[in-house]
Amino acid sequence: MKKLLLLSLVVILGFRPDQDKIQVFLIGDSTLANKQPGDAPETGWGMVFQDFFQNNIQVQNHAMNGRSTKSFINEGRWATITKNMKSGDWVFIQFGHNDSKDKDTSRYAAANADYKKNLTRFVNETRAKDGKPVLITPVMRRRFDEKGKFLDTHGDYPAAVKAVAAELKVPVIDLHHLSQEVIVQHGVEGSKTLFMHLEGGYYPKFPKGIVDDTHFSQYGARIMAGLVAKEIKFQNLALEKYLKHFGTTDKYVFDLPVIQQPAFRKDTFNIISYGAKNDGLTLNSVAINNAINACAKKGGGTVLIPEGFWLTGPITLKSNINLHIAKGALLQFSDNYKDYPLVKTTWEGLDAIRCQSPVSASDAVNIAITGSGIIDGAGQVWRSVKKEKLTDSQWQKLIASGGVLDEGQKTWYPSEGSRLGNKTPGAGNIAAGYTIENVVKFQEFLRPNLIRFTNCKKILLEGVTFQNSPAWNLHPMLCDHITLRNLTVRNPWYAQNGDGVDLESCRFGMIDNCTFDVGDDGICIKSGRDEEGRKRGVPTENVIVQNSTVFHGHGGFVIGSEMSGGVKNLFINNCNFLGTDVGLRFKTARGRGGVVENIFISDINMSNIPGEAVLFDMYYMAKDPVPKAGEKNELPVMKAEPLNAGTPQFQNFHIRNIVCKGAETAIMVRGLPEMSIKNITIENAVLQSNKGFVCIEGENINLKNVSLFTKDKTVMQIQNSTNVTMDDIKYSDGKELLLNITGDRSKGIRLLNTDEKKAKKNIEFGGNTSTKALTGK
């Protein structure tokens, strides 16, 4: 009975779930119109415009292919919009491409006559309904002359839009100008990715391919929609308050980098057809690489690893290949060192000789590894293992399996060559004089990374489990437009150099919904080491990391320590670090050089962190971040040295909404006397730890609404730091000492919005520190 009454009320009141939403009507032509699924990959920018707004905005895209201002009105489309418009709704108006078609009387509207008249009608009738009109100049076509100079094809139409906007005092978004900037910035070749430049065989609608410099790809549409959203913010339109943020950072979705996605032909090349056998005995390297070569010769497609156990040696991917690991497939890499040729590559940011990676690609475009199967790197035959990492039973079993021990009987090596390489300084380093010929004696030491891509573009890794790597699991270097999605990455917890993913000198990347459980850093950002990295000079930049979990590793999300080429514009949101030695780990050292800046982090959950929940450290010593039993993490000698090209910099980090239950130290900032760590903001944090906040050689460090529940009597320690603001700090009752300030260079320390009487009793000045160092209440 109650349900019937409720239903009756809904009918009577005309309840609609969306009735309280503000509507944003889009009217215009094919450049923003909705497309049918069969039109893929053509995308109107209006199709993705909703993504830039919060849920209380409803974008209604009424733009239609081929319409002008004249035909849009004459076909009754405008009347439908005015009928459904309500007070407070918005109308975004972009026409021009089809109004200029002077040979089509049904569409032609002269720029300074009917076109202006029709735009004026749209504006006035929107205002009559108490709506809010926005005019948009026509979006550019891609046109370059033979010398690479950009050509404008829109004549008087953009100026006409601006004239109407000025006369009627209506906002105008100059997409004509903004889109030209983007196209020119991409360049003659690069701008093709914004539009419909397709080869044949990729999409059903375009079997022979197409060259279309008017309509957008998915990538181009998102960029154009982002330009419109950004202008809403820039012009302070009232709609700006509904723009969507990235997590809880101050950045908006329109600020995020846009990542190009690969696409592949529908042809499938099953490795069985090339002689592969799934008996676990046959080495299938030749068969798999033959399938890849055949696929490449046909223009690309999918190379299928079907269900079964497939033993193989190294695989080399080529352009336009999707290596698909089917459900139930195990791609098992060989445990025979001789199957992995020695090659010139890099190791930890330096040029080096190593064994060829199980899966590699160089200078490839449009590549992928997808599926739901498993890739196993046979890492157990490459790794040395320390006795302290295993139980007695595990240690005895390992020794019984073969291999050799060091003199102290505390480290196991899988072979004599492995032991020799581990004991040889700089083994394999090209700068140290090593060549392919003179490293053969310790080839077993030269562990490869499982996946190694160099100078590749448009990469997708999706769905696969990568495990048991000899060294780093996933290592793209000098690559652009990389997507890692729905991956599981695993290594034994004791696997040295067993990083989950290392993006090195890469641009435009996305790591989304991935799980890592590894022996070293989980998600790591790098850009080369020391002078070699600075000489390369390619930063890692424009990367998104979201919705991911690291279960074990030295660090959850990590920058460094090889960051000599710089790191900038990273966006991290909604991640969990559960049992990692350090949560957010930013590490470097003198000699690295490089600038790390503009890092935006929000909504991070951490638990059971043996080291620091948040660590900025310029004294990275390549040691485990957590001291072993009986050892201490001694502080380094902090003596100033001259500034030079090798002086690293950390600056402009924005961290918001983090929770950690259980850590040794909540926040550690440790800069150099000659180069402090600058401009760090941590806001809205709840951190439970033994030690609280330690700041050494920091500058412009801001903590706001941070709860530090510590076991140590001293909650916060400041040493030789300037302009440190602690605003609204909450801490455990009964603490003997809230704040300890030391160092003759400490000044501008502010403790705000904290109980004044309690604070005065709990502040201590040590060494040469003057009470003048503390300002504020």
Side-chain angles (χ1 to χ4, degrees):
M1 187 65 181
K2 288 182 179 180
K3 290 183 179 180
L4 182 60
L5 288 172
L6 179 60
L7 180 62
S8 299
L9 285 172
V10 169
V11 173
I12 292 170
L13 297 176
F15 174 76
R16 292 185 299 114
D18 296 331
Q19 67 180 359
D20 294 329
K21 290 187 176 183
I22 296 172
Q23 299 176 104
V24 176
F25 294 95
L26 305 181
I27 66 172
D29 54 39
S30 58
T31 59
L32 67 156
N34 289 336
K35 313 298 177 185
Q36 297 299 317
D39 296 330
E42 183 182 343
T43 308
W45 68 255
M47 295 172 66
V48 297
F49 197 48
Q50 180 74 63
D51 296 347
F52 296 88
F53 291 97
Q54 300 170 18
N55 291 333
N56 45 6
I57 294 296
Q58 184 183 56
V59 174
Q60 292 198 18
N61 189 3
H62 289 260
M64 288 294 295
N65 292 355
R67 268 53 180 191
S68 67
T69 56
K70 181 179 181 180
S71 61
F72 199 84
I73 291 170
N74 290 343
E75 292 174 3
R77 299 180 186 279
W78 175 240
T80 298
I81 291 171
T82 56
K83 180 180 178 181
N84 291 301
M85 194 186 309
K86 63 181 188 295
S87 175
D89 286 345
W90 294 72
V91 180
F92 283 65
I93 305 158
Q94 181 212 287
F95 290 95
H97 279 198
N98 299 300
D99 291 79
S100 64
K101 296 179 185 278
D102 54 3
K103 295 182 180 180
D104 185 344
T105 57
S106 68
R107 292 189 290 180
Y108 177 60
N112 293 305
D114 286 347
Y115 182 64
K116 277 187 171 182
K117 177 183 174 182
N118 294 335
L119 293 178
T120 299
R121 176 177 174 179
F122 292 145
V123 169
N124 289 337
E125 292 186 5
T126 298
R127 285 174 167 169
K129 296 280 290 189
D130 198 25
K132 300 176 182 180
V134 177
L135 291 173
I136 303 176
T137 55
V139 65
M140 280 289 190
R141 299 180 178 95
R142 177 186 171 276
R143 294 285 190 276
F144 291 94
D145 66 15
E146 65 278 1
K147 294 182 179 180
K149 182 180 178 181
F150 185 82
L151 302 175
D152 181 0
T153 64
H154 284 140
D156 295 333
Y157 285 87
V161 177
K162 295 176 187 177
V164 172
E167 179 183 348
L168 300 180
K169 294 181 172 56
V170 63
V172 60
I173 293 175
D174 192 359
L175 194 56
H176 177 258
H177 171 70
L178 295 171
S179 59
Q180 177 179 335
E181 284 189 331
V182 168
I183 294 168
V184 171
Q185 184 182 40
H186 276 70
V188 176
E189 287 301 313
S191 60
K192 292 178 181 178
T193 61
L194 299 165
F195 294 88
M196 295 281 287
H197 280 247
L198 308 177
E199 295 182 23
Y202 280 77
Y203 298 96
K205 186 175 179 179
F206 310 102
K208 295 183 180 180
I210 190 173
V211 174
D212 179 347
D213 287 315
T214 299
H215 299 103
F216 299 117
S217 64
Q218 293 174 340
Y219 172 69
R222 181 161 290 275
I223 286 183
M224 298 305 162
L227 293 175
V228 177
K230 189 172 184 178
E231 276 296 296
I232 292 170
K233 174 64 178 175
F234 179 76
Q235 296 188 29
N236 297 315
L237 302 184
L239 197 59
E240 70 169 325
K241 64 183 177 181
Y242 302 108
L243 290 169
K244 186 185 296 183
H245 285 266
F246 175 70
T248 54
T249 69
D250 289 332
K251 289 294 179 179
Y252 292 88
V253 171
F254 64 69
D255 289 313
L256 299 179
V258 181
I259 317 301
Q260 297 176 26
Q261 300 294 308
F264 303 96
R265 293 175 183 267
K266 302 304 179 184
D267 296 339
T268 297
F269 295 74
N270 192 320
I271 62 171
I272 294 175
S273 300
Y274 296 85
K277 297 181 179 180
N278 63 351
D279 55 14
L281 299 173
T282 303
L283 192 69
N284 292 295
S285 315
V286 172
I288 295 174
N289 283 300
N290 282 345
I292 290 171
N293 292 334
C295 183
K297 286 180 180 179
K298 293 289 187 178
T302 296
V303 172
L304 175 64
I305 311 294
E307 178 182 352
F309 189 117
W310 307 95
L311 181 66
T312 184
I315 293 170
T316 302
L317 284 183
K318 296 187 176 182
S319 294
N320 304 314
I321 303 278
N322 174 17
L323 183 67
H324 187 79
I325 318 298
K327 182 179 181 181
L330 170 61
L331 188 62
Q332 175 64 62
F333 282 91
S334 167
D335 58 7
N336 184 349
Y337 308 115
K338 299 302 181 182
D339 290 332
Y340 300 86
L342 292 163
V343 295
K344 290 183 178 180
T345 180
T346 64
W347 174 253
E348 295 188 329
L350 299 177
D351 292 337
I353 307 296
R354 308 295 293 186
C355 289
Q356 181 177 337
S357 289
V359 182
S360 63
S362 296
D363 304 309
V365 179
N366 205 51
I367 58 175
I369 304 175
T370 64
S372 53
I374 299 171
I375 294 180
D376 188 295
Q380 73 280 355
V381 300
W382 297 88
R383 300 187 204 99
S384 60
V385 181
K386 295 179 180 179
K387 182 178 181 179
E388 66 200 32
K389 302 284 189 178
L390 305 179
T391 66
D392 288 342
S393 176
Q394 290 170 332
W395 179 247
Q396 294 303 322
K397 184 176 180 180
L398 183 63
I399 292 174
S401 70
V404 296
L405 297 176
D406 67 350
E407 294 84 351
Q409 306 289 293
K410 292 184 177 180
T411 302
W412 175 88
Y413 301 98
S415 68
E416 179 57 35
S418 173
R419 188 198 66 79
L420 178 61
N422 273 280
K423 299 299 182 182
T424 303
N429 190 328
I430 292 174
Y434 287 100
T435 65
I436 289 178
E437 290 73 27
N438 65 16
V439 300
V440 174
K441 57 188 175 183
F442 48 72
Q443 178 174 355
E444 300 98 314
F445 163 74
L446 302 174
R447 295 174 289 136
N449 298 331
L450 178 58
I451 309 294
R452 163 80 182 203
F453 295 146
T454 306
N455 197 34
C456 297
K457 296 181 180 179
K458 288 203 288 187
I459 300 168
L460 173 65
L461 303 181
E462 183 172 33
V464 177
T465 294
F466 298 94
Q467 68 176 32
N468 199 17
S469 173
W472 297 349
N473 280 276
L474 312 177
H475 182 209
M477 190 182 87
L478 292 167
C479 294
D480 292 351
H481 295 283
I482 310 144
T483 300
L484 278 59
R485 186 185 298 125
N486 302 331
L487 300 180
T488 299
V489 182
R490 305 190 304 182
N491 258 354
W493 73 270
Y494 53 79
Q496 71 273 33
N497 314 114
D499 297 18
V501 57
D502 295 86
L503 295 183
E504 182 176 354
S505 295
C506 291
R507 293 172 290 195
F508 298 99
M510 166 78 81
I511 300 173
D512 185 17
N513 197 36
C514 294
T515 299
F516 302 88
D517 191 347
V518 295
D520 208 311
D521 292 325
I523 303 168
C524 197
I525 307 297
K526 300 179 181 289
S527 63
R529 181 172 180 175
D530 300 343
E531 185 177 356
E532 288 186 26
R534 297 195 298 274
K535 185 177 180 180
R536 181 200 298 164
V538 179
T540 292
E541 60 183 322
N542 301 321
V543 175
I544 304 167
V545 178
Q546 61 185 12
N547 310 320
S548 294
T549 296
V550 182
F551 283 107
H552 189 276
H554 288 335
F557 177 77
V558 183
I559 301 175
S561 70
E562 303 96 75
M563 36 58 71
S564 303
V567 174
K568 59 184 177 181
N569 302 334
L570 306 187
F571 306 86
I572 301 91
N573 175 61
N574 192 32
C575 291
N576 301 307
F577 308 136
L578 310 177
T580 58
D581 293 341
V582 178
L584 295 166
R585 187 186 190 194
F586 313 116
K587 54 181 178 174
T588 186
R590 288 188 178 107
R592 293 285 193 264
V595 180
V596 178
E597 61 185 347
N598 303 335
I599 314 299
F600 302 90
I601 302 172
S602 73
D603 305 291
I604 305 297
N605 304 313
M606 296 172 272
S607 67
N608 189 27
I609 305 295
E612 295 83 2
V614 182
L615 174 64
F616 296 86
D617 191 11
M618 288 185 160
Y619 287 90
Y620 174 65
M621 301 298 182
K623 295 180 179 179
D624 285 349
V626 179
K628 301 176 182 66
E631 293 183 356
K632 291 185 178 180
N633 234 344
E634 299 291 341
L635 291 177
V637 176
M638 297 187 176
K639 181 181 178 181
E641 294 187 7
L643 293 172
N644 55 45
T647 305
Q649 298 180 56
F650 283 154
Q651 61 190 26
N652 303 335
F653 283 68
H654 309 269
I655 302 173
R656 180 177 289 170
N657 285 10
I658 61 173
V659 176
C660 178
K661 183 173 179 58
E664 176 59 27
T665 303
I667 303 168
M668 165 75 83
V669 176
R670 188 162 64 183
L672 301 171
E674 69 272 19
M675 180 58 68
S676 58
I677 292 171
K678 299 181 177 70
N679 306 333
I680 309 297
T681 298
I682 300 176
E683 184 177 356
N684 302 341
V686 179
L687 307 170
Q688 300 177 55
S689 57
N690 293 332
K691 297 178 182 178
F693 172 48
V694 179
C695 183
I696 305 168
E697 304 291 355
E699 180 180 347
N700 296 330
I701 311 297
N702 299 284
L703 273 58
K704 184 175 182 180
N705 188 28
V706 174
S707 298
L708 298 167
F709 300 114
T710 65
K711 292 183 179 180
D712 281 11
K713 68 175 184 178
T714 303
V715 179
M716 297 182 287
Q717 302 174 58
I718 311 293
Q719 178 181 326
N720 283 328
S721 297
T722 61
N723 297 327
V724 179
T725 300
M726 296 155 287
D727 186 354
D728 192 14
I729 303 298
K730 302 175 181 66
Y731 56 99
S732 307
D733 291 335
K735 288 299 171 190
E736 298 177 38
L737 188 64
L738 171 62
L739 175 61
N740 174 261
I741 304 173
T742 60
D744 56 5
R745 289 181 286 110
S746 287
K747 61 181 180 180
I749 313 301
R750 301 173 183 87
L751 186 62
L752 307 176
N753 296 315
T754 301
D755 188 294
E756 187 174 357
K757 293 181 180 179
K758 188 175 182 181
K760 282 184 176 179
K761 291 180 180 179
N762 293 328
I763 296 175
E764 176 180 271
F765 298 89
N768 299 321
T769 306
S770 165
T771 56
K772 294 181 181 179
L774 185 68
T775 64
K777 293 183 179 180

